[in-house]
Amino acid sequence: MPDSKKYDIILDALQQLLEDRTIQSISVSEIAQKAGMGKGSLYYYFPSKEAILDALIERSYEKTLQTAKNLASQTDIAPFTRMAMLFQACQNSSTAFLMQPETPISSAQDIAFLHQKYLTRLVSELKPDLTEIIKQGIENGEIHFDHPAALAEIVLIVIAVKLDNSLFPTSPEETAETLKGLIALLEKGTDIAPGTLNYLTFTAGK
Amino acid sequence: MPDSKKYDIILDALQQLLEDRTIQSISVSEIAQKAGMGKGSLYYYFPSKEAILDALIERSYEKTLQTAKNLASQTDIAPFTRMAMLFQACQNSSTAFLMQPETPISSAQDIAFLHQKYLTRLVSELKPDLTEIIKQGIENGEIHFDHPAALAEIVLIVIAVKLDNSLFPTSPEETAETLKGLIALLEKGTDIAPGTLNYLTFTAGK
DNA sequence: AATGTACTTGACCGACGGTCGAAAAGTGTG
DNA sequence: CACACTTTTCGACCGTCGGTCAAGTACATT
């Protein structure tokens, strides 16, 4: 069993570099230097540069994802409250190291790629949990809708995409407007009480 | 004014290469060879490899986008019919050269990147047109909803993301289910007649 | 001391994106 | 045609990168 501490040291190094640099502009040697080891050692722990990035994204999500799993099973809390908590958790985790530096020398390529990787995982991992929450809301009679899984995916996709300004860049106002529209559509489409979903606008407050 | 024919030759070469290769696996020299010119000439017409890709995507969208623009102004056709035509146009154009070869040696990175670039442009360009169409539907009394632009964006995002299996990969059945959910949500949320949006399921038929 | 195993390392490799100066092709003018 | 001048072509060349690898260190186990 390899020293798992080294893995984290490498991940830390990349994360630190990523705070004000682009992935493509960061060389493997640089990561190694920041991690305080030779380049060869990196390849002892990871098969490729991409694998390091993947592992970092994985690690960054772990906490959020765990929170989501717990939320889904807390049936004593109201479904909407749990949804709110879930979105809050997402936002806190995602904005952390994904935001790009003030100096946008970046070729827009790799940023986009990074974000997308992040989003894909977020949606696919959270869908079951949100579906479960919605199902409970349906059973409670608080939500009226026939396709819980589909609803979960739709909401997640829109939220995830809109929360991340770099995928479809829009102004904050426009984002707020879209979120308001989504709320209106959800409230009308699922017969839930108007105003119940308002926390989403706060969430979008950036 | 430079010979615009050369631009297209280069774009053709890349498109052809892209049919069974990955962007990252295609070198600039290869593109040049396929285009029948020296590598230096490529850089006479384009500033970088990425610029070539961008231009290709741009070119691939031109027709679809033009169709959409025309559709928006055809007020004599029913809004829903125009929406259907718009989605059909999207699908025809997008699946064309984006689909990856049977041999998926690709590192999933650049495919994702390509698709995303495609989708981003699709959503941002089509949003105004779809908004216009929806607005007309509201005026006609066929749609009841207060946020036409938001609705357009929501629909476009979900459709675009779901139509492209590589961004959030799901089975055809699941895609159909999500689309059905979206239809149900739209029909209930905008007070339009049930069944009006059914063409979406056909569109998703892949 | 000897053997084996886990880990480290930086010189090295092939390939890539991009540059450049020189040459070739095209264009207009007398 | 000769001429100057601009546009276009080209491939050798450059720096850098991701990844490899043989040699080496550290440290148990016997």
Side-chain angles (χ1 to χ4, degrees):
Chain A
M1 196 188 312
D3 187 355
S4 63
K5 215 177 196 176
K6 289 294 177 69
Y7 284 96
D8 276 326
I9 289 177
I10 296 169
L11 262 29
D12 288 341
L14 177 57
Q15 181 160 3
Q16 210 171 328
L17 258 357
L18 231 28
E19 270 163 23
D20 57 354
R21 297 277 301 285
T22 320
I23 322 165
Q24 294 201 353
S25 81
I26 298 171
S27 71
V28 177
S29 316
E30 260 178 308
I31 303 174
Q33 193 180 354
K34 193 80 165 184
M37 60 184 77
K39 183 163 61 152
S41 296
L42 278 200
Y43 284 92
Y44 180 80
Y45 291 100
F46 295 97
S48 69
K49 184 188 183 184
E50 182 183 1
I52 304 177
L53 181 63
D54 283 342
L56 176 59
I57 292 177
E58 191 77 16
R59 193 183 70 166
S60 304
Y61 257 121
E62 257 169 355
K63 222 171 68 183
T64 304
L65 256 24
Q66 203 48 55
T67 307
K69 302 277 182 218
N70 291 340
L71 243 34
S73 56
Q74 304 249 329
T75 48
D76 52 322
I77 306 178
F80 290 120
T81 309
R82 277 180 286 158
M83 275 181 67
M85 292 167 70
L86 191 155
F87 290 134
Q88 205 63 48
C90 292
Q91 188 182 235
N92 288 344
S93 80
S94 67
T95 48
F97 81 100
L98 277 185
M99 280 300 119
Q100 221 49 28
E102 312 84 35
T103 339
I105 324 167
S106 41
S107 65
Q109 295 219 7
D110 27 32
I111 317 172
F113 172 61
L114 221 176
H115 282 245
Q116 182 198 313
K117 219 161 190 172
Y118 220 90
L119 289 183
T120 304
R121 218 171 123 55
L122 188 105
V123 171
S124 62
E125 290 283 336
L126 255 35
K127 183 182 171 186
D129 300 325
L130 183 55
T131 302
E132 195 48 44
I133 292 177
I134 291 175
K135 271 186 184 163
Q136 291 166 14
I138 294 175
E139 284 173 16
N140 287 4
E142 299 180 48
I143 301 175
H144 298 92
F145 198 69
D146 290 336
H147 312 271
L151 184 58
E153 190 166 18
I154 291 167
V155 172
L156 278 176
I157 288 176
V158 176
I159 300 250
V161 167
K162 290 309 293 182
L163 273 188
D164 186 333
N165 268 13
S166 80
L167 204 53
F168 299 100
T170 47
S171 68
E173 298 82 26
E174 208 174 347
T175 303
E177 171 62 19
T178 303
L179 265 305
K180 252 168 60 182
L182 177 63
I183 292 173
L185 184 65
L186 288 177
E187 289 181 343
K188 248 180 100 176
T190 64
D191 291 332
I192 60 179
T196 316
L197 254 30
N198 277 352
Y199 59 83
L200 280 179
T201 43
F202 293 106
T203 308
K206 227 215 163 178
Chain B
M1 194 188 313
D3 186 356
S4 63
K5 215 177 197 177
K6 289 295 176 68
Y7 284 95
D8 274 326
I9 290 177
I10 296 169
L11 262 30
D12 288 340
L14 177 56
Q15 181 160 3
Q16 210 170 326
L17 257 357
L18 231 28
E19 271 163 24
D20 57 356
R21 298 278 299 285
T22 319
I23 321 166
Q24 295 201 352
S25 82
I26 298 171
S27 72
V28 177
S29 316
E30 258 177 312
I31 303 175
Q33 193 181 354
K34 194 80 164 184
M37 60 184 79
K39 182 165 59 154
S41 296
L42 278 200
Y43 284 91
Y44 180 80
Y45 292 100
F46 294 96
S48 68
K49 183 187 182 183
E50 182 182 1
I52 304 177
L53 181 64
D54 283 342
L56 176 59
I57 292 177
E58 192 78 14
R59 192 184 72 168
S60 304
Y61 258 122
E62 257 168 355
K63 221 171 69 182
T64 303
L65 256 25
Q66 203 49 55
T67 306
K69 302 278 181 218
N70 291 341
L71 242 35
S73 56
Q74 305 248 330
T75 48
D76 53 321
I77 307 178
F80 290 120
T81 309
R82 276 180 288 158
M83 276 181 65
M85 290 166 70
L86 192 154
F87 290 133
Q88 205 62 49
C90 292
Q91 187 181 237
N92 289 343
S93 79
S94 67
T95 49
F97 82 100
L98 278 184
M99 280 301 120
Q100 223 46 29
E102 312 83 36
T103 339
I105 323 166
S106 42
S107 65
Q109 294 217 11
D110 27 31
I111 318 171
F113 172 61
L114 222 174
H115 281 247
Q116 182 197 315
K117 221 161 191 173
Y118 219 90
L119 289 183
T120 305
R121 218 171 124 54
L122 188 104
V123 171
S124 59
E125 291 283 337
L126 255 36
K127 184 183 171 186
D129 301 325
L130 184 54
T131 302
E132 196 49 44
I133 292 178
I134 291 175
K135 272 185 183 162
Q136 291 166 15
I138 294 175
E139 284 173 16
N140 286 3
E142 299 181 47
I143 301 176
H144 298 91
F145 199 68
D146 289 337
H147 313 269
L151 184 58
E153 190 166 18
I154 291 169
V155 171
L156 278 176
I157 288 176
V158 175
I159 300 249
V161 166
K162 290 308 293 183
L163 272 189
D164 187 332
N165 267 15
S166 82
L167 204 52
F168 297 101
T170 48
S171 66
E173 298 81 26
E174 209 173 345
T175 303
E177 171 63 17
T178 302
L179 266 305
K180 251 169 59 183
L182 178 64
I183 293 173
L185 184 64
L186 288 177
E187 289 180 342
K188 248 181 99 178
T190 64
D191 291 332
I192 60 179
T196 318
L197 256 30
N198 276 351
Y199 58 84
L200 281 178
T201 43
F202 292 107
T203 307
K206 215 184 188 202

